[in-house]
Amino acid sequence: MDNLWIAALDAADRKRIEPHLHERPFAQGQMLYDAGEAVEEVWFPMSGVVSLMTLVDEDRMIETAAIGREGLVGVTCGPMNARAASRAIAQVDGVSACCPADVFADALSRSEGMRAALAKFTESLFAQVQQAAACNAQHRLDERLARWLLTIHDRADADRFGLTQMDIAGMLGVRRATVSEVGSALEDKGLIRRGRGWVEVLDREALEGAACGCYALMRGVMKDLGVPRPNRESH
């Protein structure tokens, strides 16, 4: 199983949901569910990245969390059968294993181990949401951009991934022209390279040095909680 959250379960717990899983690809920009909708399936990404988006005003949203193969999407926005508090959008193309929400809820009710694993993941996700909010309010855009690119790079399958300046601007809640200017500064330092509709990380270690401390704090929370972590490291 390429999803790290499922892979970390013991064999008995995996058997509770594996027979009910079906693969479903998702493409960049695809909405898995919208805020206010009932979530009928739990998504376990095996590749790609999904962003949780929070409404800022009538026509603008900002990313508050990113989830890849280390986690799950669908039960992290409220109790089972509740309506979603955020919009889930595919940020990088990928494939997910999907499970009916009622099946997953039943498995949770029968397994203390699964409930503990979910609690750890949701705690780490909540920490990511809190840290992102503080970061967006306090840190310079170049630091925020570096932090965000590292978050995506952690969860992507390659150093190059499909992202436009408009995509990045939407995630960070800023103007496209501002992203272009700050991205050029990172590119001039040799940290990244950009093309039409893509970004490539060239120097992972230097990009970590350019990011604000929020990135390391978020990684530290995941480590302390003992939850699966994206497997990118600079050292």
Side-chain angles (χ1 to χ4, degrees):
M1 168 54 65
D2 291 331
N3 179 271
L4 300 179
W5 191 88
I6 293 179
L9 298 174
D10 63 32
D13 285 338
R14 289 198 301 273
K15 287 180 181 178
R16 297 180 194 275
I17 59 174
E18 284 182 337
H20 305 279
L21 297 176
H22 59 279
E23 286 192 11
R24 181 177 295 180
F26 54 82
Q28 184 183 36
Q30 178 181 339
M31 185 168 63
L32 278 56
Y33 55 76
D34 201 1
E37 291 184 351
V39 180
E40 298 181 351
E41 286 191 307
V42 180
W43 299 65
F44 300 90
M46 297 185 289
S47 61
V49 185
V50 177
S51 293
L52 298 186
M53 309 293 295
T54 298
L55 185 68
V56 176
D57 52 39
E58 290 185 358
D59 59 355
R60 192 162 59 97
M61 306 188 84
I62 189 169
E63 185 195 71
T64 53
I67 301 171
R69 61 192 294 262
E70 81 284 357
L72 59 159
V73 180
V75 296
T76 53
C77 50
M80 293 304 298
N81 299 320
R83 296 190 179 278
S86 58
R87 177 181 293 178
I89 296 179
Q91 192 60 243
V92 176
D93 294 351
V95 177
S96 178
C98 293
C99 178
D102 58 347
V103 171
F104 187 68
D106 181 67
L108 286 175
S109 70
R110 297 171 183 273
S111 171
E112 182 178 348
M114 288 187 69
R115 292 194 297 273
L118 180 61
K120 288 182 178 181
F121 174 73
T122 53
E123 185 173 340
S124 72
L125 187 68
F126 184 57
Q128 184 182 164
V129 171
Q130 287 183 307
Q131 200 67 46
C135 182
N136 290 337
Q138 297 295 327
H139 291 143
R140 299 193 316 265
L141 182 57
D142 60 324
E143 296 175 323
R144 291 168 54 201
L145 177 57
R147 183 263 300 170
W148 187 78
L149 289 172
L150 287 167
T151 300
I152 300 300
H153 189 233
D154 282 342
R155 294 161 175 82
D157 295 326
D159 292 331
R160 179 185 294 195
F161 34 89
L163 286 173
T164 67
Q165 290 184 161
M166 187 63 74
D167 294 329
I168 299 172
M171 294 301 105
L172 297 177
V174 298
R175 295 184 303 111
R176 177 180 177 181
T178 307
V179 169
S180 178
E181 180 181 345
V182 176
S184 294
L186 295 179
E187 192 166 23
D188 290 344
K189 294 176 182 178
L191 279 59
I192 63 172
R193 181 168 56 191
R194 299 176 299 164
R196 189 174 181 83
W198 57 265
V199 176
E200 182 178 4
V201 174
L202 298 179
D203 191 333
R204 165 84 192 196
E205 186 171 358
L207 193 61
E208 289 185 16
C212 56
C214 294
Y215 174 74
L217 286 171
M218 286 188 247
R219 295 277 298 195
V221 167
M222 297 181 76
K223 180 178 181 180
D224 291 343
L225 288 172
V227 299
R229 288 183 294 160
N231 57 4
R232 295 284 188 147
E233 300 286 353
S234 62
H235 304 292

